[in-house]
Every structure is written in structure tokens, then in C-alpha cells.
Amino acid sequence: MAKEQQTPKFRRAAATVRREALIEATLACLRKYGHDGLSVRRIGAEAGVSPGLITHHFPSVSTLIATAYETLSMSLLHSIEHHAREVDSSPRERLRRFYEAWFAPALLDPGLFNTWLVFWSMISHDAGVRAVHDRTYAAYRAALESLLGQLQRTGGVPAFRLRPAAIALSALLDGLWTEASINPRTFKPAEAVALCEDWTHALCAGAFPSLHPDTGGPSRASGRRQRRPRPQNRRRPVLPIA
Amino acid sequence: MAKEQQTPKFRRAAATVRREALIEATLACLRKYGHDGLSVRRIGAEAGVSPGLITHHFPSVSTLIATAYETLSMSLLHSIEHHAREVDSSPRERLRRFYEAWFAPALLDPGLFNTWLVFWSMISHDAGVRAVHDRTYAAYRAALESLLGQLQRTGGVPAFRLRPAAIALSALLDGLWTEASINPRTFKPAEAVALCEDWTHALCAGAFPSLHPDTGGPSRASGRRQRRPRPQNRRRPVLPIA
DNA sequence: CGCGCTGCTATACGGTTGTACAATAGCAGC
DNA sequence: GCTGCTATTGTACAACCGTATAGCAGCGCG
């Protein structure tokens, strides 16, 4: 009994690495358990650590979630951008690779979608999470604007307004990703890529009138119908639910 | 004291109307409290009813949620379709009115988005909710396919494959609706309508190659690049997170 | 080797959750 | 008007939640 294998009850770690470990444990929990994963006890168990530690390292649990949100979001964006930039080829090709990365199997994990749902559902409650969303959404849009800007400088591509174009493309990507994550049987990832490629094609063909640079606002967006008499003055409520 | 205003402690109701009232109370709770709204106590309080009643009328709380999901989803779809069909005009105009209804103020309520997040987050756990999603998504896609089919029969519009077109349009609508619900300041509803109108315009211009009727699958979707050598055999993981 | 800083654990607390079940009472039918 | 069916209530229960806090213990430093 002289040389007992007395394993230490816990190991100390620098605050930085412990915080990082907690963030990774949080992401693992959200991925595995979805909305039930953001519990100090569950995250602590995942990290092999006492529940009280997370409130010791983070002012509150929502701060931890917000940090995890920013970490994951930026990591994904960098991975996708890196994948798109890998081959040195035309902007059009880079955009296509961006789509491919967006619908790669790793991105279509249902656990990842559930993670995102948790982030989204916290936006309306927590100001920190909302700030992270605004930052990361801006970063995604900036990435798309960069790719689209390179595309615009390609010969034969008509000029278009970058910001609304990026908004539309981002929405298309998000919408396809959402449905693909919910029900993988609706369409194959390659179909999603093809639909995004179609969008690129239409953009290059100048088929999006409201994106023309001289189009100031959306009021003149439709172009042809200047007279919009707002026909039904008696506003029929679109949402009859109480 | 002879004529006491003795209010009955509760009122009996037929099972049907009580279930309906509980469904409406559920929707109100989800709208107000988001994910914290699906508690028997909160729903019961909203309906002015004891918590035990909901487990008495519904086998479980997830069944109630699934029913509420289907009710709200179909109600919204019918409202939007009704709004689109109101004027008897061109298919193109009906499609535009569909977009307008989609981004009407009532649909951009943050509470509605939070409600949807709850539904979405239950899909991976509950088979009933998943079935409701599959049904309602199919209904939405069918509605879009109907509108797009009418558009296709218009003179001057090239033929296109209905199903992937509806999938793409649905994704665009959903993606724009999501971001508009999260952050109303990113773009105005009219801009979203304009971007959808752009999509319609491109479709009518035949600017979506993969939607051409002869295009069989997504493998030939990109059209031009037949040789796709899958360049990087060492698959760099897109998601480096553990 | 031992001191001491502090990362970390363990527990307690008041609150919430879903489910179960016995008791109550509205109200319809006779 | 009384009776009986059953919708409804109220409570009990065990499990979980986030936070606060007192004290243990790893481990660097002297």
C-alpha cells in the first residue's frame, strides 16, 4: 500500500485553456443534446469537470454560449473560405467551391443544425448572442461580397450591387442548408450546389433587375410597374391567428 | 348573502373545443416565451386551465406541439395563398403577391420566428413533429409548384423543372424570412420582395441552367464541366471542430 | 520541503420541470 | 330536482435547473 496509484482528483489548468475546453465541451453538448445540452451540469460532465467551474470561468452561461457561437461560426466560415480558396482559379470556380463546402457532409450534420437552433433561439433573449449573430452574419456577408466582387471584375459580367446580392445568396444558402439539415431526403447536396450555381449563372447573365447599380431602393426595384396603387385599402390580415 | 355571485370554479367543455383552445394557448405561449413556453403550467395558465388538463387531453406534450405546428403552418399557408389569389391577374402578379404576403409585418414577428425554432428543434427528437414538417413542407412546395406551373404556361416563359425550382424558391423565401426575423434592420421587407422578384425574372428569362427539363440529375447539372476529377483526394475536413 | 495562491470541488438553496393520481364538481339526462 | 358521468382540479413526487459559497487540494514558487 506504500505506492498507491493515487490519481489526482482533478488537474489544474490555465484559465485560457480551461475556457477553451469548456467551449468545446459546450459545442459537443449542443451537438449531442440540442437544447437540453446547455446545462452547466451536462457541459461540466462533458468536460470532465465540476458544474460550478463554468460559472467560475464565465460570468454566466449565456456568455459561454455566445463565445461558443462565435467560435463555431467563425471556424466554419474560415474552413469554407479556405476550401473555396484552395485552387487558384476563376472567381466563378471559387464560388462553386464555396457552395460545395457549404453542403459538405460535415455541414449537414443534424447535430450542427440543432446547435444553430439553440444559438438562434437565444438571440431574442440575450444581447451578447445577438451581437455575435450580427458580427458573424456580417462576416459571412462580407465573405460573399468578396467572392461576388471578384466575380464582378471578371470580363463579361455586368455590374451589380454587392450588398443585396450577398444577402440574396446568403438567404439561398441558408434556406437550402436548413431544409437539407431537417430532411436530408428532400434533395441531395449536389442538387443544392446546382441550384446555387444557377443563381450565379443568372447573376452573370444580368437576370436580376433589382441588383442593377442604378437601382436605388426597393421601391423602384420591380422596374416595370411604377404605379403601385396599393389596391386593397382594407388590409386583410395575413395572420388570422390570435 | 342569499344571492351569492358564485362563479363556477371551471367550465366544462367538449373535448374538441377544449383541445382547440389548448392549441391556441400553446401557440400564444410559444410566441410569447419561445422555448420556455412549452411548459404544461404556462400553457395551462394561458388557457386559464389547470396544468393537469393538457396531459388529460393529449397523450403527451409533444403531441400537442405537433398539432399546434400543423395548425399554424397550414393556417399561414392558406392565408398567404388567399392573399396571392385575391386579384385575378397574371401568374407573375400572383407570385409577387405571394412574396408580399410572405414578408408582411405579421409574418416577420420575432415571436413567430421563435415559435418556428421550437418546432424545428423538436423535429430530431419527435417523430410526430417530423411528420408534420414533412407534410407542411410538401404543402408549401406544392403551393409554389402550382404558382410556378401557372407561370410556366404563360407565353414566353421557357420550360423548367417544377420541383427543384420550388425547392430553390422555398429556400430563398425561408432564408430571407429567417434573417429578417432575426435582425429586421439588415434589409427591409420590400428589398426581400425585390430579391424574390429578381428570382422570378431570372426564371422567366431561362437563366437557371440546371432547371432545364432535359437536365436529368445534379451530376450533369453544372452543364459545362463534364470532367470533375475530384481534385483533392486527401479530403481536408471542412469542419475541424471535434 | 513546505508554504500559499487559486483553480476547483462539493454542497445547499429556491426554483422549475413533466407526470401521476385521488378528489372535486360542472352539467346533462332522466 | 336528483343522479351519475367525467371533465377538471389540486397536490404530491422525483428530477432537474442556475447560482452562490465555503473549503479542499493541485502545484508553482521560495
Side-chain angles (χ1 to χ4, degrees):
Chain A
M1 199 178 286
K3 194 73 176 302
E4 268 191 73
Q5 177 71 26
Q6 50 180 353
T7 260
K9 284 189 179 177
F10 60 93
R11 297 176 60 91
R12 304 191 131 207
T16 313
V17 313
R18 184 64 81 185
R19 284 170 56 101
E20 202 168 335
L22 286 177
I23 289 173
E24 280 197 38
T26 301
L27 292 177
C29 273
L30 291 181
R31 182 179 293 267
K32 275 195 265 188
Y33 308 108
H35 212 283
D36 300 335
L38 44 72
S39 129
V40 281
R41 285 166 175 82
R42 226 179 282 256
I43 296 175
E46 176 73 27
V49 132
S50 142
L53 222 184
I54 108 151
T55 63
H56 179 259
H57 276 292
F58 290 90
S60 102
V61 67
S62 40
T63 314
L64 170 60
I65 302 290
T67 314
Y69 185 9
E70 185 144 31
T71 300
L72 178 58
S73 193
M74 287 310 186
S75 165
L76 287 181
L77 176 58
H78 290 156
S79 299
I80 294 177
E81 278 189 311
H82 182 271
H83 179 88
R85 197 185 313 123
E86 200 161 342
V87 240
D88 177 73
S89 55
S90 68
R92 179 78 185 265
E93 181 76 7
R94 277 197 285 274
L95 209 43
R96 193 187 62 79
R97 293 183 63 86
F98 194 94
Y99 302 152
E100 273 189 2
W102 196 277
F103 298 105
L107 268 284
L108 295 180
D109 178 26
L112 183 63
F113 179 65
N114 283 330
T115 302
W116 231 257
L117 287 182
V118 174
F119 293 151
W120 278 348
S121 67
M122 289 186 67
I123 289 179
S124 48
H125 301 304
D126 190 89
V129 179
R130 171 162 49 246
V132 171
H133 163 77
D134 291 346
R135 264 199 303 274
T136 57
Y137 180 78
Y140 273 76
R141 207 182 52 220
L144 288 178
E145 288 186 19
S146 166
L147 285 170
L148 292 175
Q150 298 167 26
L151 183 69
Q152 194 170 30
R153 287 187 287 277
T154 308
V157 175
F160 54 87
R161 293 187 296 141
L162 271 181
R163 185 187 148 96
I167 287 175
L169 180 54
S170 170
L172 182 61
L173 286 166
D174 263 333
L176 287 171
W177 175 77
T178 298
E179 177 57 25
S181 300
I182 290 179
N183 188 354
R185 295 165 49 202
T186 304
F187 52 85
K188 287 176 295 196
E191 298 184 73
V193 173
L195 291 174
C196 292
E197 277 278 276
D198 278 0
W199 189 90
T200 306
H201 183 92
L203 181 71
C204 291
F208 293 148
S210 92
L211 296 184
H212 286 166
D214 56 344
T215 307
S219 56
R220 295 169 52 211
S222 331
R224 58 195 66 184
R225 22 191 2 249
Q226 288 291 30
R227 200 166 51 88
R228 195 157 2 152
R230 182 68 72 183
Q232 307 301 94
N233 210 347
R234 46 179 175 88
R235 288 183 47 80
R236 177 182 301 274
V238 183
L239 184 63
I241 311 286
Chain B
M1 203 178 284
K3 197 70 178 304
E4 269 191 72
Q5 177 71 23
Q6 52 179 352
T7 266
K9 284 189 178 176
F10 60 92
R11 297 175 62 91
R12 300 194 134 205
T16 313
V17 313
R18 184 63 78 186
R19 284 171 56 100
E20 202 167 336
L22 287 176
I23 290 172
E24 279 197 39
T26 302
L27 292 177
C29 273
L30 290 182
R31 182 179 293 269
K32 275 195 267 188
Y33 309 107
H35 211 280
D36 300 335
L38 45 70
S39 129
V40 280
R41 284 166 176 82
R42 226 177 284 254
I43 295 175
E46 177 73 28
V49 132
S50 142
L53 223 185
I54 109 152
T55 63
H56 179 259
H57 277 292
F58 290 89
S60 98
V61 66
S62 42
T63 314
L64 171 59
I65 302 290
T67 314
Y69 185 10
E70 185 145 31
T71 300
L72 177 59
S73 192
M74 287 309 186
S75 164
L76 286 181
L77 176 58
H78 291 154
S79 299
I80 295 177
E81 278 188 310
H82 181 271
H83 180 87
R85 198 185 311 123
E86 201 163 340
V87 242
D88 175 75
S89 55
S90 68
R92 179 76 186 264
E93 182 77 7
R94 276 196 287 276
L95 209 44
R96 193 187 61 81
R97 291 184 64 85
F98 193 94
Y99 302 152
E100 273 189 3
W102 196 277
F103 298 105
L107 268 285
L108 293 181
D109 179 27
L112 183 63
F113 179 66
N114 283 330
T115 302
W116 230 258
L117 287 182
V118 175
F119 293 152
W120 278 348
S121 68
M122 290 186 66
I123 289 180
S124 48
H125 301 306
D126 189 90
V129 179
R130 173 163 45 246
V132 170
H133 163 79
D134 291 347
R135 265 200 302 276
T136 57
Y137 180 78
Y140 274 76
R141 207 182 52 220
L144 288 178
E145 288 186 18
S146 166
L147 286 169
L148 292 175
Q150 298 167 28
L151 183 69
Q152 195 170 29
R153 287 186 288 277
T154 307
V157 175
F160 55 86
R161 293 187 297 142
L162 271 179
R163 184 187 147 94
I167 286 174
L169 180 52
S170 169
L172 182 62
L173 285 166
D174 263 334
L176 287 171
W177 176 75
T178 297
E179 177 57 25
S181 300
I182 290 179
N183 188 355
R185 295 165 48 202
T186 304
F187 52 85
K188 287 176 294 194
E191 297 184 75
V193 172
L195 291 174
C196 292
E197 278 277 275
D198 278 358
W199 189 91
T200 306
H201 182 91
L203 180 71
C204 292
F208 293 148
S210 92
L211 296 184
H212 287 167
D214 56 343
T215 308
S219 56
R220 295 170 51 209
S222 329
R224 58 197 65 186
R225 28 190 359 260
Q226 289 292 31
R227 201 166 50 89
R228 201 175 334 174
R230 181 69 72 186
Q232 306 301 92
N233 210 349
R234 46 178 175 91
R235 287 182 50 77
R236 176 182 302 272
V238 182
L239 184 63
I241 312 287

